[in-house]
């Protein structure tokens, strides 16, 4: 087979680095399908979690020409030398800058720092710097490092100058996807220390200078429902470094041969799990003659393959970020309740429980339960009420907690329940009135009750001596929040008991009938529970008309009775034709309430001394104190009422109800009890 000259390398990776990173396939496809459907070359993929399982693999042991992807091994060895102290990044090395296309010519030497040479080798994929670094460390040492990494199926061919097509055709490098993936895994797990590893990745294409998955992350984040802020946060946590390679080699005979490869690592945050995971990935096309087997008009882009290889991982990581969202907790609106027990409202009150049950929570990935820190008791104060805050929370399986807040205000606007005593009507028991028990009761569901009444002041007991008549007691019950209840009680003290009157005479018989006045020695006593000084009236009646009675003194000796204070004098006379005369002395006591009490005592004037028996009361029809009488329709006389049944004895009743008091010259006086 004949080979073309060194210019046979048409498109090394240095020309493709930026071009291949621009687009994202409009139709997502499996990475392997994307390779197999668009090229006739040998293809392979490899995806492995660092310190974890192999996730995708196809022909991972197939040796392919990696082109500039092989520079990863050179770079790793150089950083190992820096770590070991046998090289420094600021040391100067000679670099022959002259190029023939992509093939170094070894002329135009300048001095550059190793750091600059490594950056230019790994980022714009400069082949002159690559050769200078190989010259600095030697291919044998580089291959030894590859063996130390475990890359037993790979080889950097000393006979090939990277970028020179004829050498690439004649002396191909050997690289397998499994070996390249192993290199990244070894570097990430300790082959290089953390500081050196960081320097190595900083000098490569990485998230800061070639974030070729940016559009992919945007697509997947939008599909997952992440916000712009969440997407930016997710991107900020991604770490990646990669190196690709591209050869288009044209042999002397036959079609051009296409080689495409991409290898790297990516670190993705899995927020829900609280960790980051690292992955090594590789994709390659080897010995292809067509990169557009479907005739789309666009050759296969190896970065599209890399995107699709990483898409499931990125989707899973975004799902984890979504699941890491705190549950959205909705708290019930603040509520104001009326105090219904001493000091507030109990936490197990149905009103509280119903309100707490209004809280809800929604989580992206889990069914979550809402809990709260509601206290066992919600204290009250006076309107507008004391506010107690309640925190509602929900925690998902990722440990993310969502919070919401609300409050319960408990106020007391309900007046106390006041039970006033019933109205009472009581009998007077003393001049001051009557002792009456008057006690109110009250209750308040929330606070203490304070009483006041118009009679005894700040107490619920208005008992005491109530005067004669009606007394209204006004009540007020107040709680701690100055809620008031009012009521009234009427206490009526009445006097319906007549005075108690007792009376007697020293002489109940007068003799002889000599027309003279005799003091009969009247005595009486009046007592009344309520009136210390009832009005007392003493009257005298007779069963004989002092004016017309035959044989009596008549007009000459009338009237027949004189009442002066408590002295009663009766005339000693009687009709000669009758059966003797009977006087009745009536003592009448009237108290301030108009109650009347009486006592009567009889005094007789016999017809004959010791003969014929005692006088007989034939009816107390005549006022013995009246002399000048007027005919009252029954003929001459001194009538005071209907006739009594003759022979009925001495009458002790009260005067007739139809008697006109104004027609009687009665004597009245008031006497104290015991006079």
């Amino acid at each position: 087979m004949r080979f073309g000259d060194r210019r046979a390398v048409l498109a090394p990776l240095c020309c493709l680095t930026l071009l291949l990173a621009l687009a994202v396939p409009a139709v997502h496809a499996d990475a392997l399908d994307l390779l197999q459907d668009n090229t006739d070359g040998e293809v392979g993929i490899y995806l492995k979690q660092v310190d974890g399982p192999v996730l995708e693999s196809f022909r991972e042991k197939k040796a392919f020409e990696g082109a500039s992807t092989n520079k990863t091994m050179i770079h790793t060895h150089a950083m190992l030398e820096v770590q070991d102290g046998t090289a420094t990044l600021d040391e100067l090395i000679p670099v022959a800058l002259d190029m023939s296309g992509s093939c170094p010519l070894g002329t135009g030497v300048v001095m550059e720092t190793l750091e600059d040479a490594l950056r230019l080798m790994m980022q714009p994929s400069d082949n002159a710097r690559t050769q200078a670094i190989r010259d600095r460390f030697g291919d044998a040492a580089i291959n030894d490092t590859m063996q130390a990494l475990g890359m037993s199926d790979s080889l950097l061919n000393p006979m090939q100058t990277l970028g020179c097509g004829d050498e690439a055709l004649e002396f191909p490098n050997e690289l397998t996807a499994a070996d390249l993936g192993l290199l990244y895994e070894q570097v990430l797990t300790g082959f290089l220390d953390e500081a050196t590893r960081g320097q190595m990745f900083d000098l490569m294409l990485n998230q800061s200078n070639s974030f070729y998955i940016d559009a992919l992350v945007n697509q997947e984040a939008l599909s997952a429902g992440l916000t712009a802020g969440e997407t930016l946060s997710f991107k900020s946590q991604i770490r990646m470094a990669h190196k690709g390679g591209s050869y288009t080699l044209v042999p002397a005979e036959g079609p051009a041969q296409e080689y495409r490869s991409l290898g790297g690592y990516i670190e993705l945050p899995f927020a829900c799990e609280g960790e980051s995971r690292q992955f090594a990935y590789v994709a390659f096309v080897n010995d292809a003659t067509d990169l557009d087997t479907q005739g789309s008009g666009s050759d296969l882009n190896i970065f599209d393959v890399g995107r699709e290889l990483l898409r499931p991982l990125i989707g899973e990581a975004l799902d984890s970020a979504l699941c890491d969202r705190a549950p959205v907790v909705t708290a019930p609106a603040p509520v104001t309740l009326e105090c219904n027990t001493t000091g507030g409202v109990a936490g197990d009150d149905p009103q509280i429980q119903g309100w707490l049950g209004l809280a809800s929570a929604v989580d992206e990935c889990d069914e979550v339960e809402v809990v709260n820190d509601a206290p066992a008791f919600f204290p009250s104060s006076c309107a507008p009420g004391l506010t107690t805050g309640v925190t509602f929370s929900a925690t998902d399986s990722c440990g993310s907690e969502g919070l919401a807040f609300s409050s319960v205000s408990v106020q007391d606007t309900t007046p106390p329940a006041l039970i006033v005593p019933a109205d009472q009507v009581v009998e007077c028991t003393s001049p001051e009135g009557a002792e009456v028990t008057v006690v109110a009761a009250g209750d308040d569901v929330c606070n203490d009750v304070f009483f006041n009444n118009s009679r005894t002041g700040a107490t619920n007991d208005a008992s005491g001596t109530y005067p004669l008549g009606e007394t209204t007691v006004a009540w007020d019950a107040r709680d701690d929040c100055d809620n008031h209840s009012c009521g009234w009680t009427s206490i009526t003290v009445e006097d319906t008991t007549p005075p108690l009157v007792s009376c007697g005479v020293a002489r109940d018989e007068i003799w002889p009938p000599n027309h003279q006045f005799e003091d009969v020695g009247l005595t009486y006593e009046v007592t009344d529970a309520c009136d210390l000084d009832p009005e007392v009236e003493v009257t005298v009646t007779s069963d004989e008309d002092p004016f017309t009675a035959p044989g009596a003194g008549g007009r000459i000796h009338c009237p027949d009775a004189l009442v002066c204070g408590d002295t009663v004098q009766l005339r000693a006379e009687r009709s000669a034709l009758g059966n003797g005369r009977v006087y009745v002395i009536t003592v009448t006591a009237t108290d301030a309430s108009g109650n009347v009490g009486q006592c009567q005592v009889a005094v007789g004037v016999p017809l004959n001394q010791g003969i014929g028996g005692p006088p007989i009361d034939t009816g107390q029809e005549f006022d013995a104190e009246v002399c000048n009488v007027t005919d009252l329709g029954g003929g001459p006389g001194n009538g005071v009422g209907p006739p009594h049944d003759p022979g009925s004895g001495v009458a002790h009743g009260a005067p007739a109800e139809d008697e006109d008091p104004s027609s009687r010259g009665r004597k009245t006086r008031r006497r104290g009890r015991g006079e």
Side-chain angles (χ1 to χ4, degrees):
M1 179 179 293
R2 298 175 59 191
F3 303 94
D5 62 18
R6 296 165 71 91
R7 289 175 293 177
V9 179
L10 301 181
L13 181 63
C14 61
C15 302
L16 294 178
T17 299
L18 298 178
L19 294 176
L20 298 178
L22 296 179
V24 178
V27 178
H28 307 323
D30 178 86
L32 184 58
D33 290 342
L34 193 61
L35 285 169
Q36 292 176 328
D37 291 345
N38 289 278
T39 178
D40 60 356
E42 296 176 316
V43 299
I45 58 172
Y46 184 73
L47 176 64
K48 183 181 185 300
Q49 181 175 341
V50 173
D51 283 338
V54 175
L55 303 176
E56 296 283 347
S57 64
F58 182 74
R59 290 183 178 171
E60 72 278 9
K61 296 291 187 178
K62 167 65 182 175
F64 62 90
E65 170 57 73
S68 291
T69 306
N70 290 292
K71 295 173 184 178
T72 309
M73 285 81 78
I74 301 169
H75 186 47
T76 302
H77 174 77
M79 296 309 300
L80 180 63
E81 295 263 12
V82 171
Q83 176 177 283
D84 292 344
T86 56
T88 63
L89 290 176
D90 58 359
E91 69 174 82
L92 296 175
I93 63 172
V95 179
L97 295 179
D98 294 338
M99 303 282 287
S100 174
S102 297
C103 181
L105 295 178
T107 59
V109 176
V110 297
M111 301 301 291
E112 286 184 350
T113 65
L114 177 60
E115 181 176 2
D116 288 340
L118 289 171
R119 180 182 299 106
L120 292 170
M121 175 181 72
M122 296 304 291
Q123 293 185 20
S125 200
D126 184 85
N127 291 327
R129 273 76 178 191
T130 303
Q131 189 59 45
I133 296 168
R134 289 176 71 177
D135 291 342
R136 164 65 177 85
F137 296 110
D139 288 344
I142 295 171
N143 280 317
D144 287 344
T145 295
M146 293 169 61
Q147 292 299 312
L149 288 166
M151 301 174 66
S152 57
D153 296 324
S154 300
L155 174 69
L156 179 65
N157 196 328
M159 303 298 293
Q160 181 190 144
T161 300
L162 287 172
C164 298
D166 55 347
E167 295 178 9
L169 287 168
E170 186 173 0
F171 306 109
N173 293 309
E174 296 180 5
L175 182 61
T176 69
D179 279 354
L180 184 56
L182 181 61
L183 179 147
Y184 282 104
E185 185 167 14
Q186 290 282 60
V187 168
L188 289 166
T189 56
F191 186 78
L192 296 179
D193 61 37
E194 183 176 358
T196 307
R197 178 170 66 248
Q199 291 174 320
M200 172 181 169
F201 292 147
D202 284 345
L203 295 172
M204 296 174 64
L205 295 168
N206 53 51
Q207 68 275 3
S208 65
N209 54 36
S210 180
F211 196 55
Y212 75 91
I213 62 169
D214 184 68
L216 168 63
V217 173
N218 290 340
Q219 288 177 349
E220 292 297 311
L222 181 63
S223 176
L226 268 68
T227 65
E230 290 171 327
T231 303
L232 286 175
S233 176
F234 178 81
K235 289 180 181 179
S236 71
Q237 299 175 71
I238 296 176
R239 299 290 179 267
M240 64 184 305
H242 53 272
K243 188 73 180 84
S246 173
Y247 271 167
T248 298
L249 303 180
V250 183
E253 297 180 0
Q257 296 177 340
E258 302 289 346
Y259 302 87
R260 303 287 188 272
S261 57
L262 174 65
Y265 96 94
I266 186 168
E267 180 176 319
L268 296 172
F270 286 77
C272 181
E273 291 75 9
E275 64 183 17
S276 292
R277 299 177 192 171
Q278 296 172 325
F279 303 89
Y281 64 94
V282 181
F284 70 86
V285 176
N286 194 60
D287 288 335
T289 61
D290 189 352
L291 296 177
D292 184 20
T293 58
Q294 296 191 20
S296 66
S298 177
D299 285 350
L300 173 70
N301 186 329
I302 196 64
F303 280 88
D304 288 346
V305 178
R307 291 185 187 95
E308 295 311 309
L309 189 59
L310 296 177
R311 185 185 293 275
L313 292 178
I314 292 170
E316 183 180 350
L318 288 169
D319 286 343
S320 182
L322 194 67
C323 290
D324 193 51
R325 278 183 180 175
V328 177
V329 180
T330 301
V335 66
T336 298
L337 300 178
E338 186 70 14
C339 178
N340 62 13
T341 190
T342 301
V345 176
D348 58 359
D349 185 277
Q351 295 179 94
I352 294 291
Q353 291 302 306
W355 180 78
L356 293 173
L358 296 176
S360 62
V362 177
D363 188 72
E364 295 290 345
C365 299
D366 298 319
E367 293 289 336
V368 291
E369 178 184 2
V370 180
V371 297
N372 61 74
D373 66 350
F377 193 81
F378 290 80
S380 71
S381 68
C382 302
L386 177 67
T387 297
T388 300
V390 179
T391 300
F392 297 86
S393 63
T395 303
D396 61 20
S397 60
C398 297
S400 299
E401 182 182 41
L403 300 173
F405 307 92
S406 192
S407 62
V408 175
S409 296
V410 180
Q411 62 182 10
D412 178 14
T413 62
T414 303
L418 172 63
I419 303 173
V420 300
D423 293 347
Q424 298 185 58
V425 177
V426 298
E427 187 70 15
C428 176
T429 60
S430 72
E432 291 76 21
E435 289 291 327
V436 185
T437 299
V438 187
V439 180
D443 183 46
D444 189 83
V445 297
C446 190
N447 296 311
D448 294 330
V449 181
F450 305 93
F451 294 91
N452 195 71
N453 71 81
S454 59
R455 185 164 177 83
T456 59
T459 176
N460 68 324
D461 191 347
S463 302
T465 301
Y466 281 74
L468 196 65
E470 181 179 6
T471 301
T472 298
V473 181
W475 300 93
D476 177 69
R478 174 182 61 84
D479 64 16
D480 289 327
C481 291
D482 210 33
N483 300 304
H484 290 263
S485 293
C486 299
W488 294 267
T489 298
S490 175
I491 304 298
T492 301
V493 178
E494 61 182 12
D495 181 8
T496 62
T497 304
L500 179 63
V501 183
S502 62
C503 57
V505 291
R507 299 171 59 189
D508 61 358
E509 185 176 291
I510 303 174
W511 191 264
N514 56 10
H515 306 293
Q516 300 300 311
F517 281 109
E518 299 290 340
D519 185 352
V520 296
L522 174 67
T523 60
Y524 63 86
E525 182 178 9
V526 178
T527 59
D528 189 85
C530 298
D531 188 352
L532 292 178
D533 190 19
E535 185 178 282
V536 177
E537 181 181 28
V538 178
T539 60
V540 181
T541 59
S542 172
D543 64 346
E544 291 183 345
D545 186 348
F547 187 77
T548 62
R555 299 183 180 187
I556 299 174
H557 297 293
C558 70
D560 292 341
L562 294 175
V563 177
C564 183
D566 56 357
T567 300
V568 176
Q569 296 184 60
L570 302 178
R571 193 179 296 278
E573 65 180 15
R574 79 290 185 266
S575 173
L577 302 178
N579 53 8
R581 175 176 292 186
V582 176
Y583 292 101
V584 173
I585 303 171
T586 300
V587 181
T588 302
T590 304
D591 63 18
S593 298
N595 301 302
V596 177
Q598 288 186 336
C599 176
Q600 293 181 328
V601 60
V603 176
V605 180
L607 180 62
N608 296 296
Q609 181 72 22
I611 300 174
I616 298 173
D617 187 353
T618 58
Q620 295 295 307
E621 300 179 16
F622 306 99
D623 187 343
E625 299 177 66
V626 177
C627 180
N628 297 319
V629 297
T630 302
D631 186 358
L632 300 178
N638 185 16
V640 297
H644 286 234
D645 182 18
S648 61
V650 178
H652 297 277
E657 294 181 357
D658 58 354
E659 179 182 356
D660 181 5
S662 65
S663 65
R664 300 163 57 194
R666 63 186 62 181
K667 305 295 182 179
T668 64
R669 66 167 302 191
R670 300 181 67 87
R671 294 179 59 90
R673 184 178 303 165
E675 289 185 353

